[in-house]
Amino acid sequence: GAGVSQSPSNKVTEKGKDVELRCDPISGHTALYWYRQSLGQGLEFLIYFQGNSAPDKSGLPSDRFSAERTGGSVSTLTIQRTQQEDSAVYLCASSLGAGGNYGYTFGSGTRLTVV
Amino acid sequence: KNEVEQSPQNLTAQEGEFITINCSYSVGISALHWLQQHPGGGIVSLFMLSSGKKKHGRLIATINIQEKHSSLHITASHPRDSAVYICAVNQGAQKLVFGQGTRLTINP
């Protein structure tokens, strides 16, 4: 597609339920990143995928969070047993190569509310 | 202390004014980015800098590597420039470290 597409745009879920957030990067972009923006906070790194290399999961806040990228394209961020502190905007970005060399294109985000 | 500090946190100005937002960082970087976030959350990349100065329309970004400082300038500001402006740096080639953002409001 023309840009980075994220779905859903908004998600309200009950505490304890699992949620899946989807990111469809720009075709041909080998790098894909997930970031989180909690209310009143800055953006924080969660995970990135670069080509066929093992993902860098160093930003995932707990083992309830996981992500996969299938076929080097679409990525899914899964949050198990959601907690109220997981409420945030989850942003995905992609890059032609390493983002520091090529720049980043961001999606519009998924606003997750855990009630 | 955050690795990336922005100032001011909030800025309100009148249409037509010249705007400056500052970013200081405390780590070695390979690139610095200026991002724009409108209400609703979507982020647009404005500039990627590793040295010098870049200009796009009414926006100008500069970086001083020795002083670990960057500025974003907006000339002839307009209400549609109202947004949160975020400075972010690459310490390596992949991950970004973000500043807290500057909320800019331009009044007509």
Side-chain angles (χ1 to χ4, degrees), chain A residues 15-32:
Chain A
K15 179 181 170 181
K17 294 279 179 69
D18 297 352
V19 294
E20 286 189 350
L21 312 180
R22 177 187 168 109
C23 174
D24 203 337
I26 291 174
S27 178
H29 278 199
T30 61
L32 186 148

Side-chain angles (χ1 to χ4, degrees), chain A residues 9-10 17 21 24-25 32 48 52-53 58-59 61 69-70 77-80 88 97 104 110 112:
Chain A
S9 54
N10 283 282
K17 294 279 179 69
L21 312 180
D24 203 337
L32 186 148
Y48 82 79
N52 295 322
S53 302
S58 59
R69 188 178 186 192
T70 53
L77 177 68
T78 301
I79 310 173
Q80 295 178 308
Y104 302 82
T110 293
L112 175 66

Side-chain angles (χ1 to χ4, degrees), chain A residues 6 8-10 37 88-91 107-112, chain B residues 36-44 82-84 103:
Chain A
Q6 290 188 246
S9 54
N10 283 282
Q37 186 174 37
V89 175
Y90 289 82
L91 285 152
S108 296
T110 293
R111 183 175 298 276
L112 175 66
Chain B
Q36 181 191 55
Q37 185 173 33
H38 280 284
I43 290 179
V44 174
S82 297
V84 175
R103 184 174 300 277

Side-chain angles (χ1 to χ4, degrees), chain B residues 23-52:
Chain B
C23 175
S24 296
Y25 52 92
S26 57
V27 294
I29 68 168
S30 56
L32 181 143
H33 305 259
W34 281 102
L35 311 171
Q36 181 191 55
Q37 185 173 33
H38 280 284
I43 290 179
V44 174
S45 180
L46 299 175
F47 294 103
M48 182 172 75
L49 294 163
S50 55
S51 64

Side-chain angles (χ1 to χ4, degrees), chain A residues 33 37 45 50 58 100 104, chain B residues 37 48 90 93-95 98:
Chain A
Y33 308 82
Q37 186 174 37
F45 164 79
Q50 173 65 65
S58 59
Y104 302 82
Chain B
Q37 185 173 33
M48 182 172 75
N90 281 104
Q94 297 284 7
K95 290 186 280 189
F98 298 87

Side-chain angles (χ1 to χ4, degrees), chain A:
Chain A
V4 177
S5 178
Q6 290 188 246
S7 61
S9 54
N10 283 282
K11 176 73 175 178
V12 180
T13 190
E14 291 181 353
K15 179 181 170 181
K17 294 279 179 69
D18 297 352
V19 294
E20 286 189 350
L21 312 180
R22 177 187 168 109
C23 174
D24 203 337
I26 291 174
S27 178
H29 278 199
T30 61
L32 186 148
Y33 308 82
W34 284 98
Y35 297 95
R36 178 170 74 171
Q37 186 174 37
S38 303
L39 185 63
Q41 310 255 345
L43 284 142
E44 59 175 331
F45 164 79
L46 296 177
I47 185 171
Y48 82 79
F49 300 85
Q50 173 65 65
N52 295 322
S53 302
D56 182 332
K57 306 178 182 180
S58 59
L60 295 178
S62 77
D63 59 8
R64 296 185 297 105
F65 288 72
S66 63
E68 62 178 20
R69 188 178 186 192
T70 53
S73 182
V74 172
S75 176
T76 303
L77 177 68
T78 301
I79 310 173
Q80 295 178 308
R81 305 180 303 281
T82 52
Q83 303 295 312
Q84 287 185 328
E85 62 261 28
D86 300 334
S87 296
V89 175
Y90 289 82
L91 285 152
C92 175
S94 71
S95 179
L96 188 60
N101 297 328
Y102 293 93
Y104 302 82
T105 302
F106 287 84
S108 296
T110 293
R111 183 175 298 276
L112 175 66
T113 303
V114 182
V115 296

